[in-house]
Amino acid sequence: MNELHFPWMEAAILVPLAGAVWTHFIREPSKALRHSVTFCLITFLLACGELIDFLSLEVFEAHDHWIFTNWLFPQNVFVVDELSAFLLPLGALAYLVTVMSTRHTKTPRFSLKGTLLSEAILLATFSCRASWVLVALLSISVVAPYLELKSRGRCTRIYVIHMGLFVTLLVGGYGWLQLTETATNAVLFPGALLTGAALLRSGIFPFHLWITDLFEKATFGSAILYSTPLVGVYAVMRLVLPIAPSWALQSIAALSLLTAVYAASLAIVQHEARRMFCYLLLSQSSLVLVGLELVTPIGLTGGLCVWISVGLSMTGFGITLRCIEARISRISLRDFHGLYQQMPSLAGFFLLTGLASIGFPLTVGFVGMELLIEGAVDVYPVVGMLVVVTAALNGIAILLAYFRIFTGRPVQTTIALNARPSERIAVWLLSALILGGGLFPQPGVASRYHAAEELTKLRQSSPITQSEDLEAGAHHEHP
Amino acid sequence: MTTIELWYQTLGTATVASPGLLLALLGFSALIARPLSEGSVSRLTQAAVLFSLLPTVAILVTMLIRGDRYIPIELGQWVSIPQQEFHFHVKFVFDRLSIPFVILACVLCGVVGAFTRRYLHREEGYARFFLMYSAFFFGIIVSSLAGTIETLFLGWEMVGLSSALLVAYFHDRENPVVNGQRVWSIYRLSDAAFLVAAITMHHMTGEGDFGGLMSNQIWPEGTSAISAHQALVVGTLLVIAAAGKSALFPFSGWLPRAMEGPTPSSAIFYGALSVHLGAYLLLRVSPLIETSLVLQSLVVSLGLISALSGALMSRVQSDVKVSLSYASLTQVGIIVVEIGLGLRYLALIHIVGHACLRTMQLLRAPTLLRDYYELENQIGGRLQQKSPGYLSYLPENIQNWLYRFGYDRGFMDTALDRLFVNPFVKIARSMDNLERRVTDWLSHEPSRESDSADLHPEAVASEKAA
């Protein structure tokens, strides 16, 4: 296997870990915040370095250039491939802009140490392929939100029930898989457990209640960072896609589509902005799953493209809402707030990121959404149209929220509510990526298509899908 | 590439690039919170319109001199996956349909831009208006010149978004905002039909090029490359999309709501260009409509119903802009009938003439009432009212019902609400309540902190700061 020229992944995981230790000793909140931003920025640059280095190699996968911890893990545990190469900078970016847009008054509630720690776990997760290390990282990642809910004195029952089940299914399924002969149909049983775990983590209906509950009770920043990198989708790609037969994946795609429509419908009737965001995210992330589970090259490419666009735009959308919340507290959508005059930049960014998330023309999600619809209609000619309906409903929800928050009789405040410089930089960075990706989509789409092709080849080399192909061939010969 | 091809390519690109550049400039200044001065915005707008109009006129003149009837401007593949035969082909077409529409769009946008410079002078939302105006201008030029259905969709969406945001231009009042939301909702759902039509067309013909769909013949000639049954499927979806955009039956309810926006946007969007965009789409795919008799009948019936209901509704409105908007609907309905009957040139001429007249009427509307008062003062009495005409021969109960029908705007909004919106909201709310019960039960306590969110936290924040 090829090797990167620098230990990018190792460094990108170790820097936030070191940052978590460093901030632990800083007493002054604003200083801790500044230092956290620096650590997140370095991590983001390292993740970008990994992407550039990987692209320059022009291979499907490469392992890290170990220096510091090669005694700890076997060499091929942390491997970057065409799927994860883009996810590492995307995840690091989500953390960077979230920490950048955090007001120092919020630092007592929003744990910077915990955030840096969870960033390290996330980047390690995205650097891992199917292995016990991945299972362990996915299991460990559920702890941080639990601790936050506990420290805030909130009820953790819903979270514990769902995440307990997730970890049980994940560990049980993966353990069972190790004991099963992968060439036989027996693999379907551990596969079902792993699928259940991944769907739980993704919040697929009816296992989505923990996400809405988390958005209710955790800090907005933590909830955004726990849900927008779409770790559940990553679990599907690593643990389920290689072993599941097409019929099973396409059945899950139908369930994901149902979730997308359901969540989009509920987003419209929400009376509070956080909940609206949560359902919107559920709907969009379900659409990503729809594309990935169609297991057609177009659907897979669409799903991978929408993954990037949802990651970018929903993070941006989330931090915009968070910035507004930081100024006026929870935002009711029952009435108009008239905040446009006070925060025109945030209003513009709210609209831009919201529209980008539904694949509006000239934004990063447009082509991905087109591919996704095309792939869905290919597999399910009628049901696939629901993707279009979902996008329409989400569009209605976004403008509804925009009007409720930014229009109405303006309130005169004695303090400035508009974006601060650090928030503006975060917003501009995301805007540049959203619009840049929308205006010049070809490189991104070509790379995602190549990744889709390679993932399809990997799937085809799996024994279970090979036997499926043989059955399909026999069926064609003897109709 | 020959010299003449290079000439066409340069001019064609300039026609589209000019509004794109305007949108980029105004958008960028808004994003970095450095708004341009009124004078700069106005000059940039005028320049963009001029640099779009002049190349189009130059193309027209060249075409007339050389006898060319079809000039494709290929900007290449925006996105392409050759292995899967997926292409997003950016192609613009200058032909007998697109050139008149683009010139119309440029002239009317130029006039309205100049009018708005004074009309909204020193208004707080001046820059916001022109940002939306530039999005609209870009969208309408792209839609008019689109040679593929994907390119048309791109422009179509820009027009929809800018229209909805301009209806809600007066941010501090609730009604315009609610109406803007309504317009956007109708647009989104009809745009969904458009997108499905585009994908269906891709599946049937393997490409999104209008030329391929019309057997590579030049408008207005052309025969459909797909069967009557296929044409019925794609055509019906496109008719739904056109009905949403042109406020045809049963979507007419948004048209009077759209008049809540500032007069210049009402004039250019709902009186002149946006309202004709649906008809323009039908005109572009008119050979497809004529393939299927059922589809043709559907288009004619839709046009007739819209024209009749528009005529009735316009007669009983008390607001001059709303009355004019329904008069527009009547004409658009007639244009759709003409398209259904295959009278393509007549429909095109009708669009151009009607758009000019209606823009003039709508721009004149704000001063009209004042002039009426002055006239009545001069005369010393009321101006003579027009007699109700043939309607007075109808039985009184029918007259009353027609009045109610017109006054309640054809019961269309009420019907849509009762049949679709209310059941949808009811089901979604009941599911939300069910979720609440489940989470409350699992938590053993009220699970939603959001229920206690302040209705107006911004007022509380303001008080705290004070």
Side-chain angles (χ1 to χ4, degrees):
Chain A
M1 194 186 289
N2 291 279
E3 189 176 89
L4 297 175
H5 298 97
F6 183 81
W8 300 108
M9 283 189 283
E10 194 184 18
I13 296 162
L14 288 176
V15 166
L17 271 180
V21 177
W22 181 264
T23 48
H24 178 72
F25 296 105
I26 301 176
R27 298 260 173 235
E28 198 189 327
S30 54
K31 194 175 171 188
L33 185 60
R34 276 200 310 276
H35 287 212
S36 301
V37 170
T38 311
F39 280 109
C40 286
L41 182 63
I42 296 168
T43 311
F44 174 62
L45 293 175
L46 287 166
C48 290
E50 165 272 322
L51 177 63
I52 294 165
D53 192 357
F54 175 74
L55 292 177
S56 70
L57 290 175
E58 294 184 354
V59 289
F60 174 67
E61 57 189 6
H63 66 75
D64 210 5
H65 182 82
W66 294 92
I67 294 178
F68 308 113
T69 54
N70 50 359
W71 52 272
L72 198 60
F73 297 109
Q75 201 179 35
N76 285 346
V77 166
F78 289 157
V79 172
V80 64
D81 63 10
E82 289 203 66
L83 173 66
S84 57
F86 283 82
L87 297 180
L88 287 163
L90 186 68
L93 179 68
Y95 275 83
L96 172 65
V97 293
T98 307
V99 175
M100 269 174 89
S101 61
T102 304
R103 288 174 76 111
H104 66 90
T105 50
K106 294 286 170 190
T107 45
R109 274 194 288 174
F110 178 69
S111 164
L112 293 167
K113 189 175 56 182
T115 304
L116 288 166
L117 207 61
S118 62
E119 180 174 19
I121 294 172
L122 177 80
L123 296 182
T125 307
F126 282 162
S127 308
C128 255
R129 294 198 295 186
S131 64
W132 276 112
V133 181
L134 176 64
V135 171
L137 286 166
L138 285 169
S139 306
I140 291 168
S141 67
V142 306
V143 178
Y146 170 77
L147 292 177
E148 187 181 297
L149 291 178
K150 269 282 178 206
S151 69
R152 302 188 77 202
R154 301 301 202 276
C155 173
T156 55
R157 217 170 265 125
I158 294 174
Y159 184 79
V160 168
I161 291 170
H162 284 85
M163 288 300 103
L165 189 58
F166 161 66
V167 174
T168 310
L169 290 174
L170 184 69
V171 175
Y174 197 72
W176 191 351
L177 186 68
Q178 299 308 301
L179 303 172
T180 312
E181 183 62 51
T182 47
T184 62
N185 277 339
V187 80
L188 290 177
F189 297 103
L193 296 186
L194 288 172
T195 306
L199 295 186
L200 246 163
R201 183 66 178 80
S202 306
I204 293 298
F205 179 86
F207 307 115
H208 63 288
L209 296 176
W210 70 271
I211 298 194
T212 54
D213 192 61
L214 187 69
F215 271 90
E216 285 278 357
K217 290 167 181 164
T219 58
F220 202 3
S222 305
I224 290 170
L225 291 174
Y226 193 61
S227 47
T228 51
L230 308 187
V231 174
V233 179
Y234 187 75
V236 170
M237 293 305 286
R238 290 302 187 209
L239 300 171
V240 179
L241 195 79
I243 56 163
S246 300
W247 61 264
L249 284 174
Q250 285 169 0
S251 311
I252 305 166
L255 189 63
S256 306
L257 195 50
L258 173 74
T259 308
V261 180
Y262 175 78
S265 310
L266 259 68
I268 292 178
V269 298
Q270 293 308 310
H271 295 308
E272 196 262 337
R274 254 197 214 197
R275 286 189 71 82
M276 187 279 299
F277 172 81
C278 173
Y279 281 107
L280 202 62
L281 177 66
L282 273 175
S283 177
Q284 294 299 118
S285 60
S286 304
L287 283 185
V288 176
L289 268 178
V290 171
L292 301 179
E293 287 155 354
L294 290 170
V295 268
T296 60
I298 285 283
L300 208 49
T301 311
L304 292 174
C305 289
V306 175
W307 191 344
I308 305 282
S309 76
V310 166
L312 275 177
S313 52
M314 290 309 287
T315 304
F317 195 62
I319 64 163
T320 315
L321 273 178
R322 185 167 170 256
C323 288
I324 301 165
E325 258 200 19
R327 286 157 174 78
I328 64 166
S329 99
R330 289 257 177 135
I331 311 156
S332 165
L333 297 180
R334 290 175 198 271
D335 206 357
F336 299 90
H337 298 288
L339 292 174
Y340 183 86
Q341 230 175 27
Q342 307 282 347
M343 39 182 90
S345 313
L346 288 177
F349 191 62
F350 184 96
L351 208 53
L352 177 67
T353 49
L355 293 173
S357 73
I358 56 160
F360 196 78
L362 302 185
T363 63
V364 69
F366 179 51
V367 176
M369 200 56 119
E370 289 253 325
L371 284 162
L372 185 59
I373 294 167
E374 185 121 354
V377 172
D378 261 339
V379 178
Y380 300 112
V382 179
V383 182
M385 305 291 180
L386 286 178
V387 178
V388 184
V389 175
T390 306
L393 291 175
N394 283 337
I396 292 171
I398 285 162
L399 218 67
L400 189 73
Y402 172 81
F403 284 143
R404 293 284 158 144
I405 296 170
F406 294 106
T407 67
R409 194 180 296 278
V411 176
Q412 295 303 322
T413 55
T414 48
I415 47 164
L417 293 181
N418 207 3
R420 291 174 302 116
S422 61
E423 288 171 335
R424 274 199 201 132
I425 293 168
V427 159
W428 291 338
L429 185 62
L430 283 170
S431 303
L433 290 170
I434 287 170
L435 292 173
L439 290 170
F440 307 102
Q442 179 62 28
V445 171
S447 119
R448 295 302 77 201
Y449 177 68
H450 195 249
E453 262 190 329
E454 293 298 329
L455 288 168
T456 312
K457 274 183 207 159
L458 271 182
R459 242 185 78 72
Q460 281 163 352
S461 64
S462 150
I464 190 92
T465 49
Q466 272 177 356
S467 62
E468 196 182 28
D469 288 346
L470 285 176
E471 275 173 33
H475 184 73
H476 278 296
E477 280 172 25
H478 307 287
Chain B
M1 194 180 275
T2 61
T3 315
I4 194 68
E5 280 172 346
L6 190 65
W7 169 247
Y8 279 137
Q9 185 81 19
T10 312
L11 292 174
T13 309
T15 305
V16 183
S18 179
L21 208 58
L22 177 71
L23 175 61
L25 277 171
L26 298 188
F28 184 69
S29 74
L31 203 63
I32 60 165
R34 293 279 180 276
L36 300 169
S37 69
E38 282 193 11
S40 308
V41 170
S42 168
R43 277 191 294 277
L44 280 171
T45 307
Q46 285 169 350
V49 171
L50 201 65
F51 285 116
S52 213
L53 177 64
L54 289 181
T56 313
V57 173
I59 288 178
L60 175 65
V61 172
T62 317
M63 284 171 80
L64 289 173
I65 292 169
R66 288 175 49 84
D68 293 331
R69 281 187 54 192
Y70 178 81
I71 305 297
I73 306 293
E74 301 273 1
L75 296 186
Q77 305 284 0
W78 193 39
V79 181
S80 149
I81 306 176
Q83 301 89 328
Q84 298 295 320
E85 294 179 357
F86 179 89
H87 304 284
F88 197 116
H89 191 187
V90 182
K91 179 183 172 186
F92 297 104
V93 166
F94 286 83
D95 62 6
R96 290 185 180 192
L97 177 61
S98 64
I99 290 181
F101 206 76
V102 169
I103 292 177
L104 175 77
C106 287
V107 168
L108 294 183
C109 282
V111 168
V112 169
F115 180 87
T116 314
R117 207 181 94 198
R118 286 174 182 81
Y119 190 81
L120 291 182
H121 178 51
R122 292 193 177 173
E123 277 268 344
E124 178 257 324
Y126 186 92
R128 183 158 47 88
F129 177 91
F130 273 98
L131 177 60
M132 291 305 120
Y133 167 97
S134 65
F136 173 81
F137 184 40
F138 177 67
I140 199 84
I141 295 292
V142 169
S143 308
S144 316
L145 292 173
T148 62
I149 198 156
E150 299 91 349
T151 319
L152 177 56
F153 182 71
L154 195 149
W156 188 271
E157 289 276 88
M158 298 298 282
V159 168
L161 177 68
S162 53
S163 302
L165 289 176
L166 270 172
V167 172
Y169 172 81
F170 295 110
H171 269 173
D172 50 343
R173 287 197 279 123
E174 198 173 308
N175 258 352
V177 174
V178 171
N179 291 339
Q181 178 66 38
R182 183 91 184 189
V183 172
W184 174 248
S185 304
I186 301 257
Y187 275 179
R188 284 304 296 171
L189 294 173
S190 56
D191 289 355
F194 189 108
L195 195 53
V196 174
I199 286 160
T200 313
M201 194 175 134
H202 251 283
H203 275 254
M204 287 170 182
T205 62
E207 58 181 349
D209 199 316
F210 287 122
L213 192 67
M214 308 307 161
S215 308
N216 291 320
Q217 286 175 306
I218 299 166
W219 195 89
E221 287 95 40
T223 48
S224 170
I226 54 177
S227 68
H229 177 68
Q230 289 175 325
L232 180 62
V233 174
V234 177
T236 307
L237 288 166
L238 288 176
V239 166
I240 295 171
K245 195 63 97 190
S246 287
L248 300 175
F249 179 84
F251 303 117
S252 314
W254 69 255
L255 198 57
R257 293 171 181 271
M259 295 299 147
E260 288 274 6
T263 296
S265 70
S266 306
I268 195 163
F269 294 150
Y270 321 110
L273 296 174
S274 188
V275 81
H276 288 118
L277 201 54
Y280 179 82
L281 171 69
L282 295 181
L283 211 47
R284 178 56 80 193
V285 296
S286 46
L288 191 86
I289 294 169
E290 282 154 37
T291 309
S292 163
L293 188 65
V294 181
L295 184 59
Q296 217 171 347
S297 316
L298 179 75
V299 171
V300 172
S301 319
L302 188 71
L304 268 178
I305 296 171
S306 303
L308 281 173
S309 52
L312 275 173
M313 290 183 282
S314 68
R315 276 169 166 70
V316 295
Q317 300 304 320
S318 53
D319 181 303
V320 63
K321 277 170 74 181
V322 174
S323 182
L324 283 173
S325 73
Y326 278 126
S328 276
L329 176 62
T330 310
Q331 294 304 315
V332 174
I334 295 169
I335 291 167
V336 170
V337 172
E338 289 161 4
I339 295 168
L341 295 175
L343 306 168
R344 297 173 195 172
Y345 278 125
L346 180 64
L348 179 60
I349 293 164
H350 198 158
I351 286 177
V352 174
H354 175 237
C356 292
L357 171 79
R358 208 59 77 189
T359 303
M360 192 272 287
Q361 284 182 327
L362 278 162
L363 290 181
R364 174 81 174 91
T367 52
L368 187 73
L369 288 178
R370 202 184 59 194
D371 290 356
Y372 272 5
Y373 289 135
E374 276 180 16
L375 270 173
E376 285 177 349
N377 278 342
Q378 299 283 335
I379 295 166
R382 291 277 176 204
L383 287 166
Q384 202 179 350
Q385 297 290 316
K386 273 173 72 179
S387 71
Y390 56 88
L391 287 176
S392 59
Y393 297 110
L394 291 171
E396 199 178 329
N397 57 345
I398 294 180
Q399 278 188 43
N400 286 342
W401 188 87
L402 287 175
Y403 180 81
R404 276 209 315 279
F405 177 86
Y407 191 75
D408 284 340
R409 297 164 181 184
F411 313 120
M412 286 179 217
D413 273 1
T414 317
L416 285 176
D417 283 349
R418 277 197 191 158
L419 289 173
F420 301 103
V421 180
N422 294 346
F424 171 83
V425 171
K426 200 175 167 187
I427 292 169
R429 290 225 166 108
S430 59
M431 292 311 293
D432 193 43
N433 281 331
L434 183 66
E435 281 195 8
R436 179 202 304 273
R437 283 206 291 276
V438 173
T439 50
D440 286 355
W441 176 71
L442 285 173
S443 305
H444 297 184
E445 62 181 26
S447 60
R448 291 198 182 173
E449 293 180 12
S450 55
D451 285 348
S452 55
D454 275 326
L455 194 59
H456 285 289
E458 69 279 2
V460 178
S462 165
E463 280 166 19
K464 273 183 195 165

